[in-house]
């Protein structure tokens, strides 16, 4: 008979790893232990060379796009699923290995073999979880609880091997080969098969129950935790002192966006999110303060209240975009930022003349360097604490993040925990991983909609509204042009933007022609500089090229 022990090893490994992951998740949500799959994934992302990580992210983004999913919304979910699958398959592989070795020894392994397998699997996992997990729980407790779970996993492989592979008839002294009693041999075999089947059903039922219960309970706890954290953030600043947004400054602009154009102002809940870890970082405001140190005559440690109360606040409508967005990017959003000018705060620490750079560190291990000359040249550069008149949500950087006009998001740390003035340049997190040092936003334009279902009539002409956005950082947009089926470029109408640092909504009403058509868009900056039409990938300086969209009318 074919030897199925490796297959049974995979089955047992998988069946045992699923509840292990469920219990690890529950331990995270119940007691604040690090969640091993995410910690492992974060660790891998940190230690792998930049191009490999970027390649992985690209692969995932392409996969999401092929499945027609929104990258902005699905990327984190994809990452989290990948992290869980990774640990699942390591566990499954562990089962195969264990069964293979035990089979080669052709004996029932002792319990210590199982414990050894659990330790082999668990120790490296725990080792990466301690530094990466951002848990505040006592490390001894973390090690003990996690190891107990992994040892139980290994321990369970032992009876699984016995029941699945060694499952033998009760009468081992049965004559080896007696052609005259085939019926008996059949029966004996089927006893073994029945026993194995029974065991698999038991094992499957047990592990499924544990997985579903721990996962479900963990998910409920996670929801509660999320609500609680949102509440902590919402109440961290005195509501009466929060900035209040006036009506949009361009409310009087007569240009109505083409139906289907994205919202000019992004709801905070819909703002795109990018952060390097599998989960956002939560900063405890009760213990948080901002030290500003290094080459300064007057080092300061500022609390959030001091930042808000001792400095004049400033507001800005801001479009933020991510350098890893592709042509037609969705990793771009617009909201209303409030904070204080970094110039004002730096003046108070009295930088020494040798100081040239500001190194900003973050709660998630991220860091970036800003040239002090850049800060001196632009008073709009701010440390922001509010979005849309509310404390910045914790996935977006609570309690404090920097805003740099005209730069991609990768230069702009969230969850700021420290600032140091230095003489020496130090490349930032993504710069070290081969992304652009300056990361100035490239001019880009996107077609959001060809509104084939909203055809309008004007001067006896049927027109198809086409619309979208154009953005060139802080450099502004002077012109957007549309071309259909490779014809001449036609000028679109522009709506006044919310500010000089937001995207511009454009609209072009195209004279109706039946058939399948290709629409293309390009823009020019305020000073006339045209958008780069040459197609280039996002790495290392941000994507360029013409966005196009097909539509059948
Ligand atoms: N601390 C920290 N800051 C960070 C990042 C990060 O991973 N960690 N990602 C950066 C990148 S690449 C982008 S595009 C923006 C995204 O900000 P958002 O998630 O609020 O849209 O944050 C930037 N700041
Ligand atoms: Mo980004």
């Amino acid at each position: 008979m074919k030897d199925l022990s490796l297959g049974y090893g995979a089955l047992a490994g998988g069946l045992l790893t699923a509840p292990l992951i469920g219990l690890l998740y529950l331990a995270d949500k119940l007691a604040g232990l690090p969640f091993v799959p995410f910690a492992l994934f974060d660790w891998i992302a940190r230690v792998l060379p930049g191009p490999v990580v970027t390649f992985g992210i690209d692969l995932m983004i392409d996969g999401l796009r092929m499945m027609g999913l929104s990258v902005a919304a699905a990327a984190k979910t994809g990452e989290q699923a990948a992290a869980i699958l990774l640990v699942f398959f390591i566990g499954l592989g562990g089962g195969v290995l264990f069964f293979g070795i035990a089979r080669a020894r052709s004996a029932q392994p002792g319990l210590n073999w199982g414990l050894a397998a659990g330790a082999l699997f668990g120790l490296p996992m725990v080792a990466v979880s301690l530094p990466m997990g951002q848990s505040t729980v006592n490390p001894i407790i973390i090690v003990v609880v996690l190891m107990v779970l992994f040892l139980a996993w290994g321990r369970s492989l032992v009876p699984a091997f016995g029941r699945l592979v060694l499952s033998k008839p009760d009468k081992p002294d049965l004559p080896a080969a007696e052609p005259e009693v085939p019926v008996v041999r059949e029966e004996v075999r089927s006893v073994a098969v029945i026993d194995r089947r029974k065991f698999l059903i038991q094992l499957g039922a047990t592990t499924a129950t544990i997985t579903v219960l721990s996962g479900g309970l963990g998910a409920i706890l996670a929801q509660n935790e999320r609500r609680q954290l949102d509440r902590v953030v919402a109440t961290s600043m005195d509501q009466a002192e929060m900035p209040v947004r006036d009506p949009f400054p361009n409310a009087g602009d007569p240009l109505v966006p083409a139906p289907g154009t994205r919202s000019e102002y992004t709801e905070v809940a819909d703002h795109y999110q990018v952060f390097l870890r599998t989960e956002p970082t939560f900063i405890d405001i009760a213990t948080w303060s901002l030290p500003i140190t290094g080459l300064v005559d007057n080092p300061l440690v500022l609390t959030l209240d001091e930042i808000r109360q001792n400095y004049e606040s400033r507001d800005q409508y801001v479009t933020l975009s991510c350098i890893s967005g592709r042509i037609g990017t969705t990793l771009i959003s617009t909201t209303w930022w409030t904070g204080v000018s970094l110039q004002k705060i730096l003046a108070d620490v009295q930088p020494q003349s040798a100081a040239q750079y500001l190194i900003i560190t973050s709660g998630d291990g991220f860091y970036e360097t800003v040239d002090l000359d850049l800060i001196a040249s632009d008073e709009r550069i701010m440390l922001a604490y509010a979005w849309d008149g509310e404390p910045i949500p914790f996935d977006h950087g609570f309690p404090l993040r920097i805003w740099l006009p005209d730069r991609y998001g990768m230069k702009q740390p969230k969850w700021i925990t420290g600032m140091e003035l230095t003489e020496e340049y130090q490349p930032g997190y993504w710069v070290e991983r081969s992304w652009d040092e300056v990361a100035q936003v490239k001019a880009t334009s996107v077609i959001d909609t060809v509104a084939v279902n909203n055809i309008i009539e004007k001067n006896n002409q049927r027109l198809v509204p086409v619309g979208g956005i154009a953005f060139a950082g802080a450099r502004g947009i002077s012109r957007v042009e549309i071309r259909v089926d490779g014809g001449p470029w036609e000028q679109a109408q522009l709506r006044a933007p919310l500010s000089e640092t937001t995207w511009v909504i454009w609209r072009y009403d195209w004279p109706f022609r039946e058939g399948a058509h290709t629409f293309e868009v390009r823009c020019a900056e305020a000073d006339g500089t045209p958008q780069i039409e040459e197609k280039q990938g996002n790495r290392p300086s941000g994507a360029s090229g013409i966005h196009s969209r097909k539509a059948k009318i």
Side-chain angles (χ1 to χ4, degrees), residues 173-255:
D173 52 349
L174 191 85
E178 278 188 61
E180 65 273 18
V181 286
V183 182
V184 177
R185 288 179 56 77
E186 262 316 300
E187 262 174 23
V188 167
R189 239 216 335 267
S190 59
V191 169
V193 168
I194 288 171
D195 184 54
R196 190 182 288 139
R197 223 174 254 163
K198 225 165 74 189
F199 177 72
L200 271 179
I201 291 172
Q202 275 172 3
L203 182 68
T206 312
T207 60
T209 308
I210 298 177
T211 310
V212 168
L213 282 184
S214 56
L217 192 55
I220 294 172
L221 290 170
Q223 244 175 29
N224 274 343
E225 179 185 76
R226 167 100 222 177
R227 264 199 294 273
Q228 202 185 328
L229 295 182
D230 283 340
R231 209 160 32 235
V232 170
V233 170
T235 55
S236 64
M237 300 175 203
D238 193 344
Q239 203 57 39
E241 291 171 21
M242 291 313 289
V244 178
R245 181 164 55 74
D246 292 328
F248 292 131
N250 61 353
D253 193 296
L255 186 79

Side-chain angles (χ1 to χ4, degrees), residues 271-276 362 364 366 396 401 409 412 414:
H271 197 289
Y272 88 90
Q273 287 184 9
V274 173
F275 42 84
L276 43 108
S362 295
D364 59 343
F366 187 81
H396 289 288
R401 65 183 297 170
Q412 314 191 31
K414 322 191 262 194

Side-chain angles (χ1 to χ4, degrees), residues 76 271-277 279-283 288 290 320 322 337 360-368 382-384 387 392-403 409-418 430:
K76 269 302 148 194
H271 197 289
Y272 88 90
Q273 287 184 9
V274 173
F275 42 84
L276 43 108
R277 286 181 177 259
E279 287 185 298
T281 300
F282 187 78
I283 293 204
W288 180 92
L290 176 68
L320 186 69
C322 179
W337 296 47
I360 305 173
T361 46
S362 295
D364 59 343
F366 187 81
Y367 44 88
E368 249 307 336
M382 69 160 107
L383 291 181
W387 269 15
I392 296 174
F394 74 89
D395 9 27
H396 289 288
F398 175 80
L400 201 66
R401 65 183 297 170
I402 192 175
W403 174 59
M410 62 163 269
K411 297 296 292 183
Q412 314 191 31
K414 322 191 262 194
W415 303 298
I416 296 178
T417 49
W430 287 119

Side-chain angles (χ1 to χ4, degrees), residues 71-411:
V71 174
K76 269 302 148 194
T77 316
E79 230 173 279
Q80 295 180 343
I84 289 170
L85 283 178
L86 177 64
V87 170
F88 178 77
F89 281 107
I90 295 175
L92 187 144
V96 173
L97 207 64
F98 184 87
F99 274 47
I101 292 172
R103 180 76 200 177
R105 291 173 67 247
S106 60
Q108 169 67 26
L111 285 184
N112 51 343
W113 279 79
L115 295 178
L120 265 179
F121 185 9
L123 283 173
M125 298 292 144
V126 174
V128 298
S129 298
L130 281 179
M132 297 307 294
Q134 293 187 306
S135 173
T136 50
V137 176
N138 183 330
I140 297 174
I141 297 178
I142 295 180
V143 174
V144 169
V145 175
L146 294 186
M147 280 317 291
V148 163
L149 291 173
F150 278 95
L151 291 176
W153 171 89
R155 161 81 178 67
S156 310
L157 284 171
V158 176
F161 182 79
R163 298 288 294 274
L164 291 175
V165 175
L166 295 183
S167 200
K168 282 266 162 62
D170 290 337
K171 301 165 230 157
D173 52 349
L174 191 85
E178 278 188 61
E180 65 273 18
V181 286
V183 182
V184 177
R185 288 179 56 77
E186 262 316 300
E187 262 174 23
V188 167
R189 239 216 335 267
S190 59
V191 169
V193 168
I194 288 171
D195 184 54
R196 190 182 288 139
R197 223 174 254 163
K198 225 165 74 189
F199 177 72
L200 271 179
I201 291 172
Q202 275 172 3
L203 182 68
T206 312
T207 60
T209 308
I210 298 177
T211 310
V212 168
L213 282 184
S214 56
L217 192 55
I220 294 172
L221 290 170
Q223 244 175 29
N224 274 343
E225 179 185 76
R226 167 100 222 177
R227 264 199 294 273
Q228 202 185 328
L229 295 182
D230 283 340
R231 209 160 32 235
V232 170
V233 170
T235 55
S236 64
M237 300 175 203
D238 193 344
Q239 203 57 39
E241 291 171 21
M242 291 313 289
V244 178
R245 181 164 55 74
D246 292 328
F248 292 131
N250 61 353
D253 193 296
L255 186 79
V256 178
T261 307
R262 76 188 72 192
S263 171
E264 181 170 42
Y265 186 74
T266 315
E267 292 297 325
V268 170
D270 298 333
H271 197 289
Y272 88 90
Q273 287 184 9
V274 173
F275 42 84
L276 43 108
R277 286 181 177 259
T278 322
E279 287 185 298
T281 300
F282 187 78
I283 293 204
D284 181 8
I285 194 62
T287 55
W288 180 92
S289 57
L290 176 68
I292 311 174
T293 57
L295 299 177
V296 295
D297 285 334
N298 183 35
L300 284 175
V301 180
L302 298 171
T303 64
L304 189 57
D305 281 341
E306 285 168 341
I307 292 172
R308 293 175 51 226
Q309 280 151 19
N310 300 352
Y311 298 91
E312 193 191 339
S313 74
R314 49 182 308 131
D315 312 310
Q316 182 85 23
Y317 286 96
V318 168
T319 295
L320 186 69
S321 69
C322 179
I323 196 164
S324 53
R326 316 293 182 85
I327 296 171
T329 181
T330 50
L331 297 176
I332 184 168
S333 302
T334 299
T335 189
W336 187 61
W337 296 47
T338 306
V340 302
S341 173
L342 193 47
Q343 282 182 357
K344 298 266 165 57
I345 289 182
L346 286 188
D348 278 359
V349 294
Q350 299 165 21
Q352 294 166 5
S353 55
Q356 287 197 41
Y357 301 100
L358 179 70
I359 297 178
I360 305 173
T361 46
S362 295
D364 59 343
F366 187 81
Y367 44 88
E368 249 307 336
T369 301
V370 188
D371 199 320
L372 290 179
D373 287 342
L374 181 69
I375 298 171
S377 74
D378 194 340
E379 63 172 1
R380 295 174 301 181
I381 293 176
M382 69 160 107
L383 291 181
Y385 51 78
W387 269 15
D388 194 35
E390 301 287 338
I392 296 174
F394 74 89
D395 9 27
H396 289 288
F398 175 80
L400 201 66
R401 65 183 297 170
I402 192 175
W403 174 59
L404 302 170
D406 220 32
R407 297 290 183 268
Y408 283 116
M410 62 163 269
K411 297 296 292 183

